[in-house]
Amino acid sequence: MENIMDNSTNKKDIIIEVNNVSRCFNLARERVDSLKEYFVRKVKGNLHFEEFWALKDVSFTVERGDAVGLIGLNGSGKSTMLKVIAGVLKPTEGSARVSGDVAPLIELGAGFDPDLTARENIFLNGALLGHPRSVMQEAYDSIVEFAELREFMDVPVKNFSSGMNSRLAFSIATIGKPDILIVDEVLAVGDSKFQEKCINRIEEMMAKGTTVLFVSHSIRQVEMVCNKVVWLEHGHLKKYGETKEICEEYKSLYKGMDIR
Amino acid sequence: MFQSTIANFRKFKPLLYELVSRDIKNKYRRSVLGVLWTILNPLLMMTILSIVFSNIFRFEVQYYPVYILCGQVLYNFFSDSTQAAMNSIIYSAPLLKKVYVPKYMFTLSRIMSCSINIFAAFAALLIVMVVMRVPLHFTMFLSIIPILIMIVFALGTGFILAAVSVKYRDIVHLYSVFLTGFIYLAPVIYPLSIISNPTLQFIIKLNPVTNMLAMFRGFVIYNTMPDLFTVLMAVIPSIVILALGLWVFYRKQDEFILFL
């Protein structure tokens, strides 16, 4: 009896639990986007869908403080998996249980309003992540500092370069101490100096206990940041385990290809 | 479920504030007169309409400019806010694909930023009344009631339009045609007394907007209380539409991402 109790307290804190998640898309359905077409097809009996399973029966768990990399070729289901975890997309079957706040690094500042100034966008973007104005006010200086954009704060972001955009977006998403940070291909932009700074920031957050989900085509970056790796192939979970062995296998499988 | 909805609303309440303030900032960006346009716009429209309708078509209405301005205040709010709400989800597509945000926030914020305009337009109405020496009555204070009913009605309509237009973009085109016709289905610019056909008059009287206008004008111009039929035919349809809108939106919201 005592033994069992011990076991349960020793067990690490599970923060993300992905249970048999499958996600199906109806390929045909996405093309019928006008009423007329819908009715014409319905009358003709032409309305059958081609099913496409972007994810099929994927299960894994992530413990608090882990940094998990998602690897796989294009179309393997990485982005769909992230969307399911972020709560943007509901799984067709199975469930994804996430206990904590999720801070997504919004790709190239998708949350920015181009007509607003950088300063105004900081507050808007913060609110999108669920931070009230007072929190953003406190974090404001450190955001500006980290993005290195002090003299551009009153410029509308439509005049920003893509590098400036992602620097600002990264700085906003990484304030505070989110439970889970989702990093999706964002590190591909910005110069190498800033990339390094971002990786340092991510490691800093991990040290404070943030769980990181990391998607990158650069196997080198995955090796640098992650301690565990989920390898997806055609929507199936191929392997889940320690970074070192899985990355080795992945690299040897795609040796001839340019996966860096 | 209900509790989690409320907790979620609390978390994202700052977002509502930021979205409304963004709408208002963007509306008057780069205009010299800025917020003054909210008052000037209905005044200029009223001038044109009263010139046209007091010279070309003659309606025997006392204080016709005030009569028409009352109609404009409510009808323009309905038309502006529902159109903005209809596009609210479509325009937020890049964001909704990346981050989890309660989707109704975007629709709600659009209706709210348009509601702020009503009060500015109301200021225009007061100016005209003072200039035209229309007697001011204490019932004026009650005019907030039809305005609130109208906001409920627009909110419900907005939710339905937002949810349906994501899947069928035809609605966007169809709705602008509908609005052009709808202005004649309620006595916005003409007095109800010019409709001689009793069936037609009955149909127009069933329109909830007709009854809201009757309440509003009664309070503002004529110092009269609405009868029970008018009140019920304004309140009940508005509540039904809001309930229907929430239901449709709630049912459809998980699908939005497939069509964005």
Side-chain angles (χ1 to χ4, degrees):
Chain A
M1 191 68 193
E2 237 172 29
N3 216 345
I4 296 169
M5 296 272 287
D6 255 344
N7 250 341
S8 63
T9 45
N10 270 345
K11 207 172 117 193
K12 264 199 170 174
D13 199 359
I14 288 177
I15 192 159
I16 301 172
E17 207 179 328
V18 177
N19 288 321
N20 306 92
V21 163
S22 302
R23 176 70 223 189
C24 176
F25 291 100
N26 289 329
L27 292 183
R29 190 157 114 198
E30 294 198 80
R31 264 180 263 128
V32 187
D33 53 4
S34 83
L35 269 177
K36 189 191 113 205
E37 211 181 324
Y38 183 82
F39 283 120
V40 167
R41 274 163 176 262
K42 190 140 205 165
V43 169
K44 281 186 183 164
N46 210 349
L47 202 72
H48 36 76
F49 311 120
E50 202 178 314
E51 287 194 341
F52 170 72
W53 291 88
L55 287 175
K56 190 79 190 151
D57 206 19
V58 176
S59 306
F60 59 92
T61 54
V62 177
E63 285 161 1
R64 193 177 289 275
D66 272 351
V68 178
L70 270 78
I71 59 172
L73 301 179
N74 282 335
S76 56
K78 301 187 296 287
S79 296
T80 311
M81 191 71 247
L82 283 189
K83 279 179 183 167
V84 169
I85 292 174
V88 175
L89 196 64
K90 291 252 155 80
T92 315
E93 286 162 19
S95 66
R97 215 172 48 81
V98 177
S99 22
D101 292 330
V102 181
L105 278 185
I106 308 170
E107 223 171 289
L108 292 174
F112 289 154
D113 187 293
D115 287 319
L116 295 183
T117 64
R119 182 193 309 275
E120 289 162 340
N121 264 306
I122 287 182
F123 290 102
L124 176 63
N125 219 319
L128 284 169
L129 300 171
H131 300 307
R133 208 155 233 272
S134 55
V135 171
M136 296 310 290
Q137 212 96 50
E138 261 169 52
Y140 181 79
D141 279 316
S142 70
I143 291 171
V144 178
E145 188 104 355
F146 190 84
E148 300 168 20
L149 292 169
R150 169 98 34 208
E151 59 268 50
F152 303 106
M153 291 321 285
D154 292 314
V155 176
V157 296
K158 64 181 170 192
N159 299 334
F160 273 23
S161 70
S162 59
M164 289 159 91
N165 243 328
S166 49
R167 260 149 62 193
L168 189 61
F170 185 92
S171 315
I172 297 169
T174 53
I175 61 155
K177 192 191 152 297
D179 296 316
I180 299 163
L181 181 70
I182 293 185
V183 188
D184 186 5
E185 304 282 5
V186 276
L187 297 184
V189 278
D191 53 26
S192 58
K193 190 176 125 260
F194 192 75
Q195 276 186 25
E196 204 173 299
K197 211 170 147 187
C198 291
I199 292 194
N200 286 342
R201 171 64 78 94
I202 292 173
E203 277 167 352
E204 233 170 73
M205 293 173 84
M206 283 163 58
K208 280 191 265 174
T210 295
T211 307
V212 175
L213 288 178
F214 189 82
V215 172
S216 175
H217 277 120
S218 156
I219 261 297
R220 197 174 49 80
Q221 278 182 351
V222 172
E223 282 175 321
M224 264 167 80
V225 175
C226 305
N227 65 333
K228 287 205 172 145
V229 169
V230 170
W231 180 357
L232 293 172
E233 201 178 73
H234 301 303
H236 293 268
L237 180 69
K238 180 155 175 155
K239 280 239 160 88
Y240 177 44
E242 299 296 320
T243 306
K244 213 173 161 199
E245 36 188 295
I246 294 191
C247 283
E248 285 309 318
E249 207 183 323
Y250 186 80
K251 277 192 281 192
S252 64
L253 183 65
Y254 298 116
K255 211 185 305 170
M257 296 165 73
D258 177 30
I259 53 165
R260 280 166 294 169
Chain B
M1 191 211 88
F2 195 61
Q3 259 177 345
S4 71
T5 309
I6 289 178
N8 216 2
F9 178 77
R10 283 239 178 87
K11 184 182 171 197
F12 284 100
K13 217 170 66 185
L15 177 63
L16 201 55
Y17 172 82
E18 293 294 337
L19 288 175
V20 171
S21 89
R22 171 190 67 174
D23 282 351
I24 290 171
K25 277 180 200 154
N26 275 346
K27 193 162 180 185
Y28 300 111
R29 195 156 294 253
R30 306 219 174 275
S31 65
V32 181
L33 295 177
V35 188
L36 263 182
W37 276 114
T38 5
I39 297 177
L40 274 178
N41 206 356
L43 280 182
L44 294 174
M45 286 294 285
M46 177 212 69
T47 314
I48 292 173
L49 287 171
S50 31
I51 291 171
V52 171
F53 286 100
S54 342
N55 295 304
I56 306 172
F57 312 99
R58 297 202 68 107
F59 297 139
E60 293 307 318
V61 180
Q62 203 190 3
Y63 311 126
Y64 183 66
V66 181
Y67 181 91
I68 201 166
L69 194 51
C70 283
Q72 287 272 311
V73 168
L74 282 191
Y75 183 77
N76 283 356
F77 164 73
F78 179 73
S79 132
D80 291 349
S81 65
T82 48
Q83 286 198 78
M86 175 171 62
N87 290 315
S88 60
I89 300 294
I90 298 173
Y91 288 167
S92 324
L95 200 63
L96 291 175
K97 285 181 184 174
K98 294 274 181 274
V99 202
Y100 170 76
V101 178
K103 298 172 191 66
Y104 65 84
M105 284 285 173
F106 296 99
T107 313
L108 184 60
S109 72
R110 286 299 178 80
I111 302 275
M112 282 174 73
S113 43
C114 291
S115 308
I116 292 171
N117 279 346
I118 280 199
F119 296 100
F122 204 84
L125 183 64
L126 277 180
I127 294 171
V128 172
M129 288 181 78
V130 169
V131 169
M132 290 194 59
R133 296 175 197 284
V134 180
L136 299 172
H137 309 289
F138 281 108
T139 46
M140 177 81 87
F141 292 106
L142 292 176
S143 57
I144 185 77
I145 298 167
I147 290 178
L148 289 178
I149 298 172
M150 180 48 115
I151 292 175
V152 169
F153 186 66
L155 197 57
T157 315
F159 274 128
I160 297 173
L161 289 168
V164 179
S165 66
V166 172
K167 193 167 175 185
Y168 303 109
R169 304 288 159 97
D170 311 52
I171 301 293
V172 178
H173 306 287
L174 206 59
Y175 189 63
S176 63
V177 178
F178 169 81
L179 278 176
T180 315
F182 193 65
I183 193 169
Y184 300 105
L185 274 178
V188 178
I189 42 183
Y190 58 81
L192 195 55
S193 53
I194 64 152
I195 308 286
S196 46
N197 183 334
T199 338
L200 194 58
Q201 198 173 49
F202 184 68
I203 292 173
I204 291 175
K205 271 188 177 166
L206 286 181
N207 185 345
V209 176
T210 305
N211 296 296
M212 289 174 218
L213 283 172
M215 275 170 92
F216 189 63
R217 285 180 178 134
F219 290 143
V220 173
I221 312 175
Y222 307 118
N223 193 17
T224 52
M225 287 293 148
D227 54 36
L228 190 64
F229 176 84
T230 308
V231 175
L232 290 181
M233 279 311 289
V235 172
I236 294 172
S238 304
I239 292 174
V240 170
I241 288 279
L242 180 62
L244 185 71
L246 289 173
W247 182 74
V248 169
F249 196 88
Y250 182 78
R251 286 284 305 274
K252 293 276 173 205
Q253 60 175 354
D254 290 341
E255 272 184 29
F256 289 169
I257 189 167
L258 301 177
F259 303 103
L260 286 175

